[in-house]
Amino acid sequence: MVLMTQASATGRTGRRRHDREIIALAVPAFGALVAEPLFILADSAIVGHLGTAQLAGLGVASALLTTAVSIFVFLAYATTAAVARRVGAGELGAAIRQGMDGIWLAVLLGCAVIVAVLPTAPALIDLFGASDTAAPYAVTYLRISSLGIPPMLIVLAATGVLRGLQDTKTPLRVAVVGFLANGALNVLLVYGLDLGIAGSAWGTVIAQCGMAAVYLVVVVRGARRHGASLRPDAAGIRASAQAGAPLLVRTLSLRAILLIATAVAARLGDADVAAHQIVLSLWSLLAFALDAIAIAGQAIIGRYLGAGDADGARAVCRRMVEWGIAVGIALGILVVLARPLLLPMFTGDTAVWDAALPALIVVAVSQPLSGVVFVLDGVLMGAGDGPYLAWAMIATLAVFTPVALLVPSVGGGLTALWGAMTLMMAVRMATLWWRARSGHWLVTGAVR
């Protein structure tokens, strides 16, 4: 009995320790995640007062920019896992050196994007179907904003470095200050200097450069403190690219799923596609809360495995899954209670309401499932299990695509489409759960 009591007390102590770690990393990470989309919202609010054509141009250009940045999010994910492993192994100098390799990769990729976007901006805008009145504004915004791609990618990679170092508070502070600076610069340049939509783009670029500069100062100080080299290393940059490639495949497969869902919704009718956009926006917002736990998972799991503590990694994985389920249940209840208030914020069209309401119920019911998926995704990223994540997402895309494409012919409308989205999440959970249970991801050491 005494031994059982001691074991129980030890278990509670371990869970409390894990809870403190998860909360300490996840809460600031959530704040930083929410702050990032506010850049586009601030630009939209300011540009919207210039006119409909300018706002439409901003919408097309920002969609391209958001897609580009989301594709390169592996810079944050892969860097977090690699740095956290080194931290767990007690190799802080090597951890920062590995982070610098990710930052140099970000610089190279950012410059490549600029070279690709500047001459092709008109063609890209035309491909997205911008109107003749909106296209010139979209091209202007895209060309200027592309200059901010390198600092944006540096921010991603440097965020990964700090997350790997178990620091999510600094990214939150930088994101908040960057958002405020972006808003002030936009007002000054758009209205004060009368630069129009070009002023909005320049304001965002300047804010992004400032954020990147702050991150670089933090990382450089850490490198000097621990004797890490700041020079580009071809082998290290190549290793960072190789680690990120599978996560790029994973991200592209997920983007394909979301694009297919939107294309199917468009075939259902105007009311359905409008409702789908609302539901997808709310679903994405809910994902920020769950992704914050996943980010904590990346940092903590990488550290445990780097320290050679496979049992600790498995225990914290189990606790994070419990957190994912609990947060998912809370979010699902919130959606059900708030849905009569949410829809009028987006539209007054009752036909859109009728299409969106049952789809939101599907989203609410699936939130605990989403919680498990996001957490296990973060756990396996933290373990550096990118190749498996890539293949698992490709398999999920293969299952989702035919089911989604059948929705218009079998009926059921938007609710059926979001049923297919839930099936997609169920397939993801099955593949991730199997991997987590297998233990194949529990590879210890400073380098996977």
Side-chain angles (χ1 to χ4, degrees):
M1 179 65 72
V2 173
L3 290 176
M4 291 178 63
T5 302
Q6 290 175 340
S8 177
T10 301
R12 285 196 300 271
T13 301
R15 285 193 296 273
R16 284 196 295 269
R17 185 179 70 253
H18 295 326
D19 289 346
R20 286 194 298 270
E21 286 186 314
I22 293 167
I23 292 171
L25 291 172
V27 172
F30 174 69
L33 288 170
V34 171
E36 290 172 10
L38 293 179
F39 271 82
I40 298 299
L41 287 178
D43 287 2
S44 299
I46 293 167
V47 171
H49 291 287
L50 295 174
T52 301
Q54 288 92 331
L55 184 59
L58 171 66
V60 174
S62 63
L64 281 164
L65 291 165
T66 301
T67 299
V69 174
S70 67
I71 287 173
F72 294 119
V73 74
F74 71 84
L75 289 166
Y77 293 160
T79 305
T80 297
V83 172
R85 275 185 175 270
R86 294 284 192 179
V87 170
E91 302 174 1
L92 289 179
I96 296 175
R97 172 64 258 181
Q98 194 133 20
M100 284 303 305
D101 293 333
I103 291 173
W104 279 113
L105 177 61
V107 172
L108 294 175
L109 291 173
C111 292
V113 172
I114 290 178
V115 171
V117 169
L118 285 179
T120 61
L124 290 170
I125 295 301
D126 184 62
L127 183 65
F128 267 61
S131 67
D132 291 340
T133 54
Y137 297 111
V139 171
T140 296
Y141 190 90
L142 180 60
R143 277 181 166 157
I144 296 172
S145 294
S146 68
L147 301 177
I149 292 289
M152 289 172 73
L153 299 190
I154 289 172
V155 166
L156 282 177
T159 299
V161 176
L162 295 181
R163 288 173 181 171
L165 294 171
Q166 317 296 294
D167 177 8
T168 56
K169 292 180 180 178
T170 299
L172 173 60
R173 296 188 191 103
V174 175
V176 171
V177 174
F179 166 69
L180 295 174
N182 177 64
L185 286 166
N186 270 266
V187 171
L188 173 63
L189 297 174
V190 173
Y191 298 119
L193 299 182
D194 198 25
L195 295 180
I197 194 170
S200 177
W202 280 118
T204 301
V205 169
I206 294 169
Q208 288 161 346
C209 288
M211 292 171 65
V214 172
Y215 274 115
L216 288 176
V217 168
V218 173
V219 174
V220 168
R221 283 178 178 172
R224 288 175 175 169
R225 188 181 309 119
H226 296 285
S229 173
L230 299 173
R231 295 178 180 178
D233 176 66
I237 294 171
R238 187 165 52 249
S240 293
Q242 290 172 346
L247 296 180
L248 174 61
V249 173
R250 167 204 168 274
T251 300
L252 289 174
S253 299
L254 180 57
R255 297 295 300 183
I257 287 171
L258 299 179
L259 287 173
I260 290 169
T262 299
V264 170
R267 294 170 61 187
L268 298 175
D270 289 347
D272 286 284
V273 73
H276 174 73
Q277 185 59 38
I278 294 170
V279 175
L280 183 61
S281 298
L282 292 171
W283 183 80
S284 300
L285 181 62
L286 297 172
F288 284 131
L290 299 173
D291 203 25
I293 305 174
I295 288 170
Q298 293 171 31
I300 297 171
I301 291 295
R303 193 188 77 232
Y304 270 94
L305 293 178
D309 188 357
D311 291 337
R314 191 186 291 277
V316 77
C317 171
R318 187 182 307 114
R319 188 57 179 165
M320 280 188 289
V321 168
E322 294 170 356
W323 267 86
I325 294 172
V327 174
I329 291 172
L331 291 175
I333 294 172
L334 181 62
V335 170
V336 171
L337 295 177
R339 66 195 176 102
L341 304 174
L342 291 171
L343 294 177
M345 294 171 57
F346 293 91
T347 180
D349 190 336
T350 56
V352 176
W353 293 4
D354 291 340
L357 281 171
L360 278 176
I361 291 294
V362 176
V363 170
V365 171
S366 67
Q367 283 307 294
L369 174 67
S370 297
V372 176
V373 169
F374 275 82
V375 165
L376 292 180
D377 202 42
V379 165
L380 296 184
M381 282 185 191
D385 207 12
Y388 180 82
L389 290 173
W391 284 111
M393 191 60 79
I394 291 172
T396 302
L397 174 62
V399 173
F400 170 78
T401 301
V403 174
L405 294 178
L406 283 174
V407 167
S409 59
V410 301
L414 190 65
T415 304
L417 176 60
W418 276 92
M421 289 286 285
T422 302
L423 171 65
M424 177 270 292
M425 295 300 286
V427 173
R428 288 186 69 189
M429 192 192 78
T431 58
L432 296 173
W433 187 269
W434 177 84
R435 186 66 168 181
R437 293 278 295 178
S438 72
H440 295 315
W441 56 279
L442 291 166
V443 180
T444 58
V447 180
R448 182 179 171 89

